[in-house]
Amino acid sequence: MDYRELGRTGWKISSIGFGAWAIGGDAWGKTDDATSLATIHAAIDAGVNFIDTADVYGDGHSERLIAQVLRERPGEIIVATKAGRRLNPHTAAGYNRENLTAFVERSLHNLNTEALDLLQLHCPPSEVYAMPEVFEVLDDLVRAGKVRYYGVSVERVDEALTAIEFPNVQSVQIIFNLFRHKPIDQFFAAAQAKRVGILARVPLASGLLSGKITAATNFEANDHRNYNRHGEAFDQGETFAGVDYATGLQAVEELRTLVPIDASMAQFALRWILMFDAVTTAIPGAKTPAQMRANADAAALAPLDAATMAEAQAIYERLIRPLVHERW
């Protein structure tokens, strides 16, 4: 495992983190707590020291599972959580002092901690990024000792660019993967100039880039890959990174030819992300210890050569760019 600086926090976090959405048990099919707990332990055993969760993942269940493991594992593990998606309706007006404070208090309880390491606004409506009073609330939560640092999780590059104009934003969580290249040329340099950390979310395009999904794959009823392909339930562009399913499968078949002999398709996809110095960490999800260990092993792969990077870019330009590049 290697470690990279997270913004201006002074923390060095693992370049592969643990995305804890799936273990919440409400959006990725069936889970069981014993396996989920073993998966978190496997992440820490592999050198992962950064866990990303949210208060809505299993209505707090993900946070509570993480807290259970951390009680058993001494040492500094950085836990990032998110707030905002408990709002119903999910509107910019809901991002007010009363609600954000209540969300933070609930996460403090779930995580059994006195201060949240990193609090992220959870893909709020675009209007929030033009509301300085929201970020003043976050500053006050830091001053009160309830939050150590804060950042944002975004849907679009323009939101990310606006967010980093607020001086105390330490991190931006953004969709970045082999199917989503726009941050490279429109965001990375700006983030580096301000020393803002980048958390690459949806790094495997909801599993499409794992290489294990086919046209015949059936997803469970409570798996968002079954019911949110076009944003029917929540944000459009989230599931499968907004790529048409059949086109994504075609692109994966072409990308397979670039995968080193000692790597899986998923590991290749993660190693591609880590080729970009602006990225602090990629946060793939895992439901089993074996998945987690395989994800962590991606950090040890040799750097991809220039020819491989160029071929991956060419596949994106031909198949994927027309679908997603200008939208997000």
Side-chain angles (χ1 to χ4, degrees):
M1 185 60 65
D2 65 294
Y3 301 84
R4 301 182 179 188
E5 292 185 2
L6 176 61
R8 303 172 305 284
T9 64
W11 291 329
K12 286 194 171 183
I13 65 171
S14 49
S15 60
I16 299 293
F18 175 57
W21 185 10
I23 65 169
D26 63 340
W28 289 84
K30 184 169 56 179
T31 62
D32 73 86
D33 285 355
T35 302
S36 296
L37 292 167
T39 303
I40 303 170
H41 280 289
I44 298 171
D45 291 341
V48 170
N49 72 346
F50 183 80
I51 299 174
D52 177 77
T53 186
D55 59 357
V56 291
Y57 295 168
D59 194 25
H61 190 59
S62 174
E63 290 180 324
R64 291 188 290 272
L65 288 173
I66 293 164
Q68 184 173 334
V69 170
L70 296 188
R71 283 195 293 270
E72 304 167 9
R73 300 294 296 259
E76 186 175 38
I77 305 297
I78 306 302
V79 178
T81 193
K82 309 183 196 74
R85 286 293 173 145
R86 299 187 65 76
L87 294 169
N88 185 17
H90 183 230
T91 62
Y95 283 76
N96 56 48
R97 185 175 300 274
E98 180 181 6
N99 288 334
L100 287 173
T101 301
F103 297 155
V104 164
E105 292 289 355
R106 187 175 187 272
S107 286
L108 288 170
H109 177 75
N110 286 341
L111 288 164
N112 189 33
T113 186
E114 294 181 355
L116 303 178
D117 292 332
L118 180 68
L119 175 68
Q120 303 158 99
L121 300 183
H122 198 171
C123 297
S126 294
E127 297 89 338
V128 167
Y129 301 104
M131 297 167 60
E133 62 271 23
V134 174
F135 296 86
E136 290 170 6
V137 172
L138 298 178
D139 286 331
D140 287 344
L141 288 166
V142 172
R143 282 189 284 268
K146 295 181 183 297
V147 172
R148 293 188 173 94
Y149 298 103
Y150 65 80
V152 296
S153 183
V154 303
E155 291 290 345
R156 303 203 313 261
V157 168
D158 63 318
E159 295 170 341
L161 288 167
T162 303
I164 64 174
E165 292 302 313
F166 292 96
N168 293 323
V169 168
Q170 295 284 349
S171 64
V172 172
Q173 189 171 142
I174 192 168
I175 296 176
F176 179 58
N177 57 45
L178 279 160
F179 291 166
R180 190 73 77 86
H181 290 202
K182 189 173 181 177
I184 299 170
D185 53 16
Q186 297 195 19
F187 179 60
F188 283 1
Q192 285 181 299
K194 291 182 178 290
R195 294 182 62 204
V196 171
I198 294 175
L199 316 180
R201 69 187 189 92
V202 198
L204 298 179
S206 307
L208 264 183
L209 286 165
S210 72
K212 298 178 180 179
I213 292 175
T214 71
T217 298
N218 290 314
F219 300 101
E220 295 177 55
N222 69 333
D223 190 319
H224 72 100
R225 295 171 294 183
N226 181 51
Y227 61 78
N228 192 60
R229 294 190 182 190
H230 306 288
E232 297 93 334
F234 53 91
D235 303 302
Q236 188 178 14
E238 183 87 20
T239 303
F240 300 131
V243 175
D244 170 75
Y245 190 66
T247 303
L249 291 174
Q250 179 186 348
V252 166
E253 290 308 306
E254 296 193 24
L255 288 165
R256 282 186 201 277
T257 65
L258 308 179
V259 177
I261 193 168
D262 60 342
S264 68
M265 180 69 216
Q267 290 170 333
F268 170 74
L270 293 172
R271 189 63 185 89
W272 179 88
I273 290 171
L274 300 184
M275 291 298 293
F276 297 88
D277 292 340
V279 173
T280 310
T281 186
I283 47 173
K287 291 171 67 175
T288 68
Q291 287 176 344
M292 185 62 248
R293 287 189 288 267
N295 288 341
D297 286 346
L301 292 179
L304 305 179
D305 60 36
T308 299
M309 295 296 287
E311 289 185 51
Q313 179 71 28
I315 293 169
Y316 171 83
E317 295 292 339
R318 180 165 44 83
L319 294 177
I320 307 299
R321 183 185 179 102
L323 299 177
V324 304
H325 197 84
E326 300 310 319
R327 301 184 67 184
W328 295 288

